[in-house]
Amino acid sequence: MIFVGVYRQAIAKGPAVKTVKMAEEEISSLLLVPGTVKLQEEQFVYPTPDKGEVKELLVKEGQTVKKGTILLRLKNNQLELETEQNTLAIETANLKLEQISQKISDLNDKEKTLAKTAGEEEAKKQLKPDYEQLDMDKKLADLDIKQAMLQKNMIQKRQSELEIKSTIDGIVLSAELPSASTATGAVSEPIIHIGKLEGMTAIGLLSEYDTLKVKKGQKVNLRSDAVPDQEWNGVVIDIGYLPQQSQQGQENNSQAVQYPVTVKISGDTKAIKPGFQVTMEVETDKKRAMVLPNTAIHDDGDQPYVFLVKSGKVHKQQVKTGTESGKKIEILSGVTMEDHVIANSSDDMKDGMDVTVK
């Protein structure tokens, strides 16, 4: 009988509930943007048959490289032939200059000898055509030298391009010699892919209207279905000035455009990889508002409502809601700051039910 009495007394008091009061907090509007994880810095090295074929691959997958590290060397048979021809051209021009210098020296000796018998004026007069011819030959030889040296500089520049260097500090994500299909002009995969794993980014697209809401520096929360138990913080670092035409817009000849937005991801990013699909919650307009936990709000399709506790009984109260921010939701009307709102009611909660406040 004692047990039955205690049980009836507990039933009479009703189930225990936890209540909260509405509070004023700073909230932000959230804009949901689908995105793709990308490396902030990466380098691709593709086959370049016009420059030469791969002679030597100097890095391997997983290797850490510094900016300026030589990744591979190319071989260009045509360039090697041009280098030999240029070397011969320079040697030939130098020999020609030496011959002209020797002829000028011999002509000077001849002038001195002739001056002794015919006089200096007569000697210069007789030998003037020879001097003019040698002077013209020397100018032409000098031009040949300059032309050969210009060609040498161009060849050296092309030779320097045969050594492909890293443009960033990073890790070699892939390194594989090109397939035979490359020689036939087929579309090929990169020979080398280098990426900087620190500082990953997520790239999404904004509509024209959403670009007016999003600004650099706004905070972003990122989630991925591939890693459901984790989330990451980020910040907007860039909003594209030029739009990208959507595929649907191109097919329909419409003017639907989207603008790229880039978010820098902070924290531990080991669990995500380039190419992962993420949902980005961008915090846009901030304001002070009266809020409740979103778990306190119910919506049966008619109008949102909450359950209040008044004198130990549940009272259903319709409310008008505003901006939802994270786990909070703005309350525009229907609840006062003195009301006790059930924080997380069960499905069997009914209007007029007896409850006990924890």
Side-chain angles (χ1 to χ4, degrees), residues 4 19 27 47 59 72-73 90 125 129 205 258 267 269 286 300 316 330 345 353:
V4 172
T19 62
I27 62 172
V59 294
L72 60 83
R73 289 190 177 94
I90 293 174
K125 183 179 179 180
L205 294 173
Q258 293 179 306
T269 57
K286 288 187 176 182
D300 55 10
K316 181 179 179 180
E330 180 184 10
S345 60
M353 178 184 293

Side-chain angles (χ1 to χ4, degrees), residues 296-351:
I297 310 300
H298 303 267
D299 192 347
D300 55 10
D302 183 15
Q303 184 175 347
Y305 60 92
V306 297
F307 287 115
L308 308 180
V309 177
K310 294 183 177 181
S311 301
K313 290 186 178 294
V314 173
H315 175 68
K316 181 179 179 180
Q317 175 64 46
Q318 290 185 336
V319 294
K320 185 177 180 180
T321 59
T323 300
E324 186 170 0
S325 177
K327 297 180 180 180
K328 303 286 185 178
I329 188 167
E330 180 184 10
I331 304 299
L332 300 175
S333 63
V335 177
T336 67
M337 294 188 68
E338 289 73 29
D339 287 331
H340 294 269
V341 182
I342 298 178
N344 195 353
S345 60
S346 60
D347 294 337
D348 57 356
M349 189 69 64
K350 303 293 182 182
D351 191 22

Side-chain angles (χ1 to χ4, degrees), residues 242-255:
L242 296 176
Q244 291 183 356
Q245 185 83 25
S246 68
Q247 186 66 31
Q248 183 178 0
Q250 292 176 355
E251 294 174 354
N252 299 333
N253 294 322
S254 67
Q255 297 299 315

